[in-house]
Amino acid sequence: MSAIKIENLSKVFGDFKALDDLSFEVSENCVFGFLGPNGAGKTTTIRMLVGLSRPTSGRIFIDGEEVVFGKTMVNNKFGYLPEQPAFYGWMTGEEYLSFIADLFLIKDKETEIKRVLTLVKLTDAKSRRIAGYSNGMKQRLGIAQALINKPKVLILDEPVSALDPIGRKEVLEILLDLKKDHTIFLSTHILSDVDRICDDVAILDHGKLITVAKLSELKNEYAAPVLEIEFDEDPKGVAEELRKEKWVQKVEQQGEIIRVWLKDEAVIDKNLPLKAVSKFNYGIVHYGMLQLQTEDLFMNLVGEDK
Ligand SMILES: Nc1ncnc2c1ncn2[C@@H]1O[C@H](COP(=O)(O)OP(=O)(O)OP(=O)(O)O)[C@@H](O)[C@H]1O
Ligand SMILES: [Mg+2]
């Protein structure tokens, strides 16, 4: 069974379509990155996932149970960390968790509070007032409250976006630790976070799903060595010929430019691509490797011109 299943989910605010017919599934015990630029619709989706906002259309299932708007406070299906969590600064970390545990009708409060404090490495700070916590500590406390009901799925809206590199690393390490017992669904607009911890990703832009894939597959496709060849005229027939070569993964042509995704960069040393295209007698204006980084993967899929 999928940890999360989203079916044809849409959300309209007035005449603005914030989310357009989203469908995908999240498998169990994976870290799933929900990636998209500012305003893509990540928070809109997450608020519907946790029952805080009513879908205009579509259905959501978490661990097989349908999410019903407004009816999700007391269950053990998911824990939720909002985008900008608010705390009572005058409470200590421990008092805050006790307050949340009461909302969830947790029975053995003391044990559970101890458990979550250990998971997020806040045991030493439990008796300090939250007002004196760093942003990273507040975010870890936010994760602790999301864990109090032992949820199957952790839903985190930009858990590290506001943190400095150290705070970010601490939180990401905690999330990796939590992966063995939970499915983690996290939104972010920062690709390097995804790079560090995610198994699968969905990319959202302007309310539309652009792709859902294993991160490793996306990287293979978009971070593979790419050769770019520019000809002095439209090189008719060349792309078709290159596609037949066994060292070629994919070929794309835009006017005079051909891009060849290579299975292995070593073919360049053997001059195989050059030999293959020189048969055609077109003039070559430029011939060289494109350095596609994982950041480009995101930019390719979510270009500003889209
Ligand atoms: N209550 C609302 N009323 C009207 N428009 C809204 C409302 N909530 C969100 N929107 C719009 O929906 C779009 C998606 O917003 P959302 O907050 O889901 O984006 P996001 O992907 O979470 O962005 P960010 O990375 O900035 O957090 C935006 O254009 C936003 O202005
Ligand atoms: Mg958001």
Side-chain angles (χ1 to χ4, degrees):
M1 187 173 33
S2 303
I4 300 177
K5 189 173 181 196
I6 295 179
E7 286 178 357
N8 307 103
L9 191 66
S10 293
K11 180 76 183 182
V12 175
F13 295 111
D15 56 5
F16 175 69
K17 199 159 203 179
L19 211 64
D20 189 4
D21 199 23
L22 207 66
S23 296
F24 62 88
E25 294 186 27
V26 176
S27 47
E28 285 182 332
N29 290 85
C30 78
V31 180
F32 191 96
F34 193 42
L35 196 62
N38 291 134
K42 304 182 294 293
T43 299
T44 301
T45 306
I46 287 179
R47 286 177 51 78
M48 291 192 284
L49 275 182
V50 299
L52 286 175
S53 164
R54 191 196 297 272
T56 304
S57 58
R59 301 172 78 183
I60 301 162
F61 300 85
I62 297 186
D63 192 35
E65 194 173 302
E66 183 157 11
V67 174
V68 180
F69 168 64
K71 269 200 173 175
T72 48
M73 195 60 209
V74 182
N75 74 19
N76 61 356
K77 296 292 187 192
F78 66 84
Y80 166 54
L81 174 67
E83 190 168 23
Q84 286 164 339
F87 300 100
Y88 299 108
W90 47 269
M91 281 186 181
T92 66
E94 196 173 26
E95 283 164 355
Y96 178 74
L97 290 173
S98 168
F99 162 70
I100 299 292
D102 284 342
L103 294 180
F104 277 97
L105 312 173
I106 304 282
K107 289 199 189 81
D108 192 357
K109 247 174 41 171
E110 243 171 74
T111 314
E112 295 307 322
I113 291 172
K114 213 166 151 190
R115 177 181 66 86
V116 297
L117 282 169
T118 310
L119 283 172
V120 302
K121 304 187 171 80
L122 275 180
T123 308
D124 292 345
K126 67 178 182 185
S127 307
R128 281 167 51 191
R129 289 194 195 287
I130 300 169
Y133 280 19
S134 69
N135 283 338
M137 289 164 80
K138 282 186 190 155
Q139 210 64 347
R140 282 188 276 145
L141 183 63
I143 294 171
Q145 63 78 31
L147 287 165
I148 199 87
N149 56 337
K150 291 193 178 150
K152 287 225 164 173
V153 184
L154 262 186
I155 298 175
L156 314 170
D157 196 353
E158 307 247 11
V160 293
S161 298
L163 304 182
D164 65 20
I166 296 169
R168 184 181 226 106
K169 187 162 173 275
E170 283 168 355
V171 170
L172 291 175
E173 278 169 6
I174 289 168
L175 295 183
L176 272 181
D177 244 17
L178 292 171
K179 183 181 158 178
K180 54 183 185 302
D181 299 316
H182 306 268
T183 302
I184 302 176
F185 181 93
L186 68 101
S187 76
T188 180
H189 58 270
I190 300 167
L191 194 80
S192 56
D193 297 341
V194 169
D195 235 2
R196 281 195 212 168
I197 66 165
C198 292
D199 306 302
D200 297 351
V201 288
I203 299 183
L204 191 71
D205 189 25
H206 290 98
K208 285 202 165 78
L209 191 66
I210 296 189
T211 188
V212 189
K214 294 229 154 298
L215 182 62
S216 54
E217 283 167 16
L218 266 192
K219 280 172 126 179
N220 275 344
E221 184 168 356
Y222 288 91
V226 183
L227 174 68
E228 188 174 76
I229 313 167
E230 187 177 351
F231 297 87
D232 58 0
E233 59 181 309
D234 182 359
K236 290 197 175 59
V238 175
E240 289 73 18
E241 200 58 31
L242 284 171
R243 283 192 189 103
K244 292 180 196 156
E245 300 287 352
K246 60 178 185 304
W247 39 267
V248 168
Q249 192 176 323
K250 190 173 94 168
V251 180
E252 271 180 12
Q253 180 171 358
Q254 275 177 321
E256 286 95 48
I257 296 176
I258 286 186
R259 286 182 178 169
V260 191
W261 275 254
L262 303 172
K263 285 189 181 149
D264 180 358
E265 208 162 340
V267 302
I268 293 291
D269 301 333
K270 297 183 194 151
N271 260 340
L272 297 182
L274 197 56
K275 279 183 197 153
V277 297
S278 44
K279 283 189 258 174
F280 286 84
N281 288 325
Y282 290 113
I284 294 175
V285 178
H286 171 78
Y287 178 94
M289 295 305 290
L290 267 184
Q291 291 306 321
L292 278 183
Q293 305 294 328
T294 41
E295 282 294 335
D296 298 316
L297 175 159
F298 188 43
M299 294 312 293
N300 279 348
L301 291 165
V302 188
E304 273 170 33
D305 50 340
K306 278 200 185 145

